[in-house]
Amino acid sequence: MALDRPVELLDVTEYPDVYPEAPLRRGPLRTFVRWFVIGAALLWSLAVLILVAARWIDPPTTAVHIERRLQAWIHRTPYHERYEFVPLSQISPDFQHAVIAAEDSSFYQHHGFDWHAMQIAAEDDMEGGRIRGGSTLTQQLVKNLFFGTGRSILRKGAEFTLVPVAELVLSKRRILELYLNVAEWGPGVYGAESACRYYYGIPARNIDPEQSARLAAILPLPLKRRPDRMNRYSGLILERMRQLGW
């Protein structure tokens, strides 16, 4: 008897194109992307908090320090770290000026990025010439603190978002102080004070203009260059210092 059939059977036979809806299932790729974005946001927020704290707290270590320790451990090579943080007032003005002249002559004018220097670097690269660095001291500080020496598009993108934060929460004086103290000046040598004592046996407050220019000259390749071999480049830095009124 047709009227005695179950209601479900009547629905299926009379409407054959209607099926119960299956619950939506998220794919593994979508889940991965979601958690990746959340993790990246948390890491970025942590970096911002570290930059805010750096207004008052001297960093005990940096990504470059950690990277060098890991490299020494992996290759089982001796590693001795020299890292002494000193106030900017204990670093010779000649040393400060030499580093600015060598690495970022527009330091006090820009807001984190020197677009003109970046354009020149890009043009030199496209023409097949020697690549010139276009990074400002603020960019180099952010890279030193959080990213180490590696290069990637993701790292560069994260750096570009953190540089304006550094310029916002830190003064120019504090940015310069942090950079001079965390920059790499040789194998295991970090900061102006350690560099001056390692190469010249004197504190950073007593270094003269010529010695300052020689130390600034090795910053682009601190593991390969030596101050006593930087005659030509250090001379150019001294000339640039004079042009800038120093």
Side-chain angles (χ1 to χ4, degrees):
M1 293 171 50
L3 294 177
D4 292 332
R5 288 182 300 169
V7 175
E8 292 81 358
L9 183 58
L10 284 172
D11 290 340
V12 173
T13 55
E14 292 179 13
Y15 306 99
D17 295 332
V18 177
Y19 300 95
E21 292 186 3
L24 294 175
R25 300 176 64 183
R26 294 180 177 176
L29 179 60
R30 184 178 177 182
T31 302
F32 170 79
V33 171
R34 179 170 176 266
W35 283 108
F36 177 82
V37 170
I38 292 174
L42 290 174
L43 289 174
W44 188 87
S45 300
L46 177 61
V48 170
L49 290 176
I50 292 173
L51 285 174
V52 173
R55 294 178 63 179
W56 307 280
I57 302 173
D58 302 332
T61 189
T62 71
V64 174
H65 298 190
I66 296 171
E67 178 184 344
R68 298 308 187 201
R69 290 190 209 114
L70 286 174
Q71 289 174 346
W73 179 74
I74 291 171
H75 298 291
R76 298 187 178 184
T77 55
Y79 179 78
H80 175 64
E81 185 173 295
R82 300 170 178 84
Y83 176 47
E84 183 179 353
F85 199 106
V86 297
L88 194 62
S89 59
Q90 294 184 24
I91 300 175
S92 165
D94 291 325
F95 199 165
Q96 299 176 37
H97 297 157
V99 171
I100 293 174
E103 296 290 295
D104 186 4
S105 59
S106 301
F107 175 66
Y108 290 109
Q109 285 75 48
H110 65 66
H111 299 288
F113 300 103
D114 187 342
W115 302 108
H116 180 64
M118 293 169 66
Q119 181 181 2
I120 293 174
E123 290 173 354
D124 286 350
D125 192 14
M126 290 176 63
E127 293 172 1
R130 188 175 183 178
I131 298 175
R132 295 178 57 189
S135 297
T136 64
L137 292 187
T138 312
Q139 288 177 267
Q140 294 182 50
L141 172 63
V142 168
K143 182 170 73 71
N144 269 273
L145 288 175
F146 302 114
F147 303 109
T149 61
R151 295 184 179 183
S152 70
I153 295 177
L154 286 177
R155 192 273 293 174
K156 202 67 177 178
E159 176 190 307
F160 266 68
T161 65
L162 288 171
V163 166
V165 177
E167 286 278 337
L168 180 65
V169 301
L170 301 172
S171 66
K172 286 290 187 179
R173 179 180 176 83
R174 182 58 171 168
I175 290 172
L176 180 60
E177 181 178 66
L178 288 167
Y179 176 76
L180 289 174
N181 276 285
V182 304
E184 186 177 34
W185 255 287
V189 182
Y190 304 100
E193 183 72 11
S194 298
C196 292
R197 292 188 180 277
Y198 178 73
Y199 290 109
Y200 297 116
I202 58 175
R205 65 176 178 269
N206 294 338
I207 192 170
D208 64 32
E210 182 179 346
Q211 293 169 327
S212 298
R214 288 180 177 276
L215 283 178
I218 71 173
L219 277 172
L221 296 168
L223 300 184
K224 296 181 179 180
R225 294 181 177 179
R226 299 279 300 182
D228 55 356
R229 299 176 183 174
M230 294 291 104
N231 297 333
R232 180 174 176 275
Y233 189 27
S234 64
L236 293 175
I237 293 173
L238 287 170
E239 177 60 29
R240 195 175 303 170
M241 290 168 65
R242 284 190 286 269
Q243 292 173 357
L244 292 169
W246 294 326

